[in-house]
Amino acid sequence: MQQWQGNSNEDFAKLVNEFEALPALYRHALNDLQNKIDVIKTEWQSRDGFSPIEHVKCRIKEPKSILQKMERKGYGFSLENMEQYIHDIAGMRIVCAFVKDIYRLVDHLSTREDIRVLEIKDYIAHPKPNGYQSLHLIVGIPLVLLEGTRWVKAEIQLRTLAMDFWASMEHILYYKFDKQLPSHVAEELKEAARAADELDQKMLRLRREILELSEGELPPAGQH
């Protein structure tokens, strides 16, 4: 194990142990957030006949990974720095069918009193140089504790099915090549990202056309 800003391996192990108890708060906040999303999904399904949310995944960052990220970003190892600077300890990924549904969900979350949208990073409107597309939210979730209400941060990543597939493949390749992709592979990934975006746009047009047809009256049999 490497040295961590002058700390010995024993010091680092001790820090990991001290951070072991922290994920409990974040897990409660993440469970609460997941319950809210489940209610939204159920309400949309009941009202509209379908839900724009395809599936949801949640995870809590491991204490060792939290400390490694703090080291990488140059923050001192303290609970205060962790709470202030590390926003993705509680993480949620929401996959939607269409880009339009992502923005619809973000608009809804922004109006709620039981969720605070603290930061928005829109990599759909402004993709990363490697082609990555997603919309990231940093949100605050209220936990009612003995000492009062505490707002716990969580990160939500919103993607379409096509974006999620691309990101999964990129992640696999990224680690297969030890984080150094050959230039031709990187270019192929960018092209695949463009193809995924075109697929999203095409499916959105098809949905719009189907909805428009379903709202009109079909002509009687034999008439055109």
Side-chain angles (χ1 to χ4, degrees), residues 108-162:
H108 173 73
L109 295 178
S110 299
T111 65
R112 294 177 67 107
E113 296 181 355
D114 59 348
I115 297 176
R116 290 177 180 170
V117 177
L118 305 174
E119 183 180 343
I120 299 176
K121 291 183 179 180
D122 191 345
Y123 299 116
I124 297 175
H126 307 285
K128 289 186 177 183
N130 67 346
Y132 175 85
Q133 286 188 296
S134 185
L135 195 148
H136 295 191
L137 299 178
I138 303 300
V139 300
I141 307 300
L143 284 184
V144 180
L145 306 175
L146 292 175
E147 63 269 22
T149 300
R150 179 173 176 178
W151 289 81
V152 179
K153 292 178 183 176
E155 181 187 62
I156 305 176
Q157 297 179 354
L158 298 106
R159 302 172 179 170
T160 63
L161 290 161

Side-chain angles (χ1 to χ4, degrees), residues 26 66 115 126 136 175 190 193:
Y26 287 90
I66 297 170
I115 297 176
H126 307 285
H136 295 191
Y175 282 96
K190 289 181 183 178

Side-chain angles (χ1 to χ4, degrees), residues 1-221:
M1 186 181 296
Q2 71 180 92
Q3 301 294 315
W4 298 85
Q5 292 185 341
N7 292 317
S8 67
N9 292 343
E10 183 178 347
D11 290 336
F12 182 73
K14 182 178 179 181
L15 282 167
V16 172
N17 289 334
E18 289 176 352
F19 275 51
E20 287 287 353
L22 292 174
L25 271 184
Y26 287 90
R27 189 171 299 282
H28 287 309
L30 192 57
N31 288 340
D32 189 25
L33 178 60
Q34 186 167 14
N35 288 336
K36 297 179 195 299
I37 297 300
D38 286 343
V39 171
I40 293 171
K41 184 175 180 179
T42 300
E43 284 189 313
W44 271 340
Q45 180 71 45
S46 177
R47 187 186 68 184
D48 301 338
F50 72 96
S51 171
I53 299 173
E54 291 291 325
H55 57 262
V56 177
K57 293 182 180 179
C58 298
R59 68 104 181 92
I60 295 292
K61 207 174 191 69
E62 292 293 330
K64 184 176 179 180
S65 296
I66 297 170
L67 291 170
Q68 288 173 334
K69 186 169 185 177
M70 292 176 72
E71 165 74 9
R72 206 164 53 244
K73 292 185 172 293
Y75 301 130
F77 293 143
S78 69
L79 300 185
E80 292 77 12
N81 283 345
M82 186 205 72
E83 291 182 301
Q84 183 174 354
Y85 299 116
I86 309 301
H87 301 153
D88 63 343
I89 296 174
M92 172 179 286
R93 181 176 303 149
I94 301 176
V95 177
C96 299
F98 302 100
V99 173
K100 185 176 180 180
D101 295 330
I102 291 175
Y103 289 108
R104 179 186 177 194
L105 181 55
V106 171
D107 288 343
H108 173 73
L109 295 178
S110 299
T111 65
R112 294 177 67 107
E113 296 181 355
D114 59 348
I115 297 176
R116 290 177 180 170
V117 177
L118 305 174
E119 183 180 343
I120 299 176
K121 291 183 179 180
D122 191 345
Y123 299 116
I124 297 175
H126 307 285
K128 289 186 177 183
N130 67 346
Y132 175 85
Q133 286 188 296
S134 185
L135 195 148
H136 295 191
L137 299 178
I138 303 300
V139 300
I141 307 300
L143 284 184
V144 180
L145 306 175
L146 292 175
E147 63 269 22
T149 300
R150 179 173 176 178
W151 289 81
V152 179
K153 292 178 183 176
E155 181 187 62
I156 305 176
Q157 297 179 354
L158 298 106
R159 302 172 179 170
T160 63
L161 290 161
M163 292 173 193
D164 193 50
F165 175 72
W166 183 93
S168 296
M169 294 300 100
E170 192 267 350
H171 181 78
I172 292 171
L173 291 172
Y174 189 68
Y175 282 96
K176 182 177 179 61
F177 288 99
D178 196 25
K179 303 182 181 181
Q180 296 292 328
L181 292 178
S183 59
H184 72 281
V185 175
E187 285 302 318
E188 288 288 344
L189 272 174
K190 289 181 183 178
E191 180 58 34
R194 287 190 288 269
D197 182 58
E198 290 173 3
L199 177 61
D200 276 334
Q201 298 302 321
K202 184 171 185 177
M203 297 306 294
L204 186 60
R205 289 194 298 271
L206 285 171
R207 184 179 78 159
R208 187 180 303 117
E209 183 176 346
I210 290 170
L211 290 175
E212 289 173 354
L213 288 172
S214 66
E215 291 173 358
E217 294 184 1
L218 292 176

